[in-house]
Amino acid sequence: MTQRQAILSGSVFEERIGYARAVVDGDWVHVSGTTGFDYADMTISDDVVEQAEQCLRNIGAALEEAGCSFADVVRVRYLLPDREDFEPCWPVLRKCFGEVRPAATMLVCGLADPRMKIEIEVYARRGSGTGGVSSIG
């Protein structure tokens, strides 16, 4: 039987809504849609690129706790309210995913809070890494 592990980030949203930042199920790691909030103080930048960087730091921390890294990501979804905000984020996203080349989708949709300009969701399989970036700084 596969053991399931919930990974919490400390975001107030996890408690209020009832979800985990990530769920480990065997070798699979499912990271919830993650926004640009700094969970230490629940602040968020007005800049979409800074939000993307913070999303990736948040995701990287969850992946690390799950025993993997960005190199193990096989699927990524980007959700943005404004399609014009996507291209400015490409250099930041490329730092994490450029060598990994996960399957990817970008969707334009509303997000839960009007301050949120990007949300990123990933799926990873532990041990499948290609040697790409392990974190964003």
Side-chain angles (χ1 to χ4, degrees):
M1 178 173 260
T2 303
Q3 189 166 14
R4 180 178 151 140
Q5 171 195 359
I7 295 174
L8 304 176
S9 66
S11 164
V12 297
F13 300 120
E14 293 168 348
E15 180 63 31
R16 289 180 185 165
I17 298 169
Y19 71 96
R21 173 64 38 222
V23 174
V24 179
D25 186 15
D27 286 333
W28 287 99
V29 180
H30 306 269
V31 181
S32 294
T34 302
T35 62
F37 274 94
D38 180 337
Y39 299 132
D41 56 15
M42 289 307 293
T43 58
I44 190 165
S45 171
D46 290 332
D47 180 75
V48 68
V49 174
E50 290 176 12
Q51 283 192 29
E53 291 170 338
Q54 186 63 50
C55 288
L56 294 169
R57 282 191 291 273
N58 295 340
I59 291 167
L63 291 171
E64 184 176 335
E65 189 171 337
C68 61
S69 71
F70 284 105
D72 297 302
V73 172
V74 297
R75 177 77 156 127
V76 60
R77 285 191 185 92
Y78 306 106
L79 303 109
L80 296 95
D82 184 351
R83 77 179 75 246
E84 300 300 320
D85 280 343
F86 190 47
E87 190 169 348
C89 296
W90 290 358
V92 171
L93 303 175
R94 191 170 38 251
K95 286 180 187 176
C96 286
F97 301 118
E99 292 180 30
V100 178
R101 304 289 177 128
T105 302
M106 189 280 267
L107 300 167
V108 175
C109 62
L111 298 178
D113 182 318
R115 296 174 292 174
M116 297 173 181
K117 296 184 178 192
I118 187 169
E119 184 169 323
I120 303 172
E121 169 187 68
V122 305
Y123 298 94
R125 190 171 56 109
R126 295 191 288 192
S128 68
T130 62
V133 173
S134 60
S135 65
I136 183 134

